[in-house]
């Protein structure tokens, strides 16, 4: 019988992309501080220092805003 998962497989975690600004074709979502709509999905852009951090894509804007709030909290702790 095969094992359920590979034991030595590396865990892949998401590293936020660093961008100069949200793209021009992104649409700002009303009612949310950091959420933009790109190609039908929701993405958060958080300004950290001089650059924006981009979240992974989400299907609901609330999830993108939660990601942005978490990034803000993490950055405040590190600084």
């Amino acid at each position: 019988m095969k094992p359920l998962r590979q034991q030595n497989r590396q865990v892949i975690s998401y590293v936020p992309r660093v961008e100069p600004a949200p793209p021009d074709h992104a649409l700002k979502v009303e009612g949310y501080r950091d959420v933009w709509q790109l190609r039908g999905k929701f993405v958060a852009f958080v300004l950290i220092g001089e650059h924006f951090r981009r979240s992974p894509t989400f299907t609901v804007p609330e999830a993108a805003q939660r990601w942005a709030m978490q990034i803000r909290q993490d950055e405040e702790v590190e600084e």
Side-chain angles (χ1 to χ4, degrees):
M1 220 166 101
K2 285 175 35 177
L4 294 177
R5 66 182 192 92
Q6 294 177 357
Q7 299 299 322
N8 295 328
R9 180 168 287 201
Q10 181 181 5
V11 176
I12 299 172
S13 61
Y14 180 78
V15 177
R17 290 176 50 180
V18 176
E19 300 190 4
D24 293 335
H25 62 277
L27 302 173
K28 182 83 170 102
V29 178
E30 290 295 321
Y32 295 97
R33 179 178 177 185
D34 305 303
V35 181
W36 300 74
Q37 189 170 7
L38 279 172
R39 298 185 195 105
K41 300 284 185 177
F42 298 98
V43 177
F45 288 93
V46 179
L47 182 61
I48 304 292
E50 298 177 357
H51 300 284
F52 283 89
R53 297 266 177 95
R54 177 182 169 170
S55 73
T57 58
F58 295 99
T59 55
V60 291
E62 293 86 3
Q65 186 60 51
R66 282 196 306 267
W67 181 91
M69 290 177 2
Q70 184 64 45
I71 288 295
R72 286 183 193 282
Q73 288 176 355
D74 291 348
E75 290 297 324
E76 287 175 5
V77 169
E78 291 175 6
E79 290 180 359

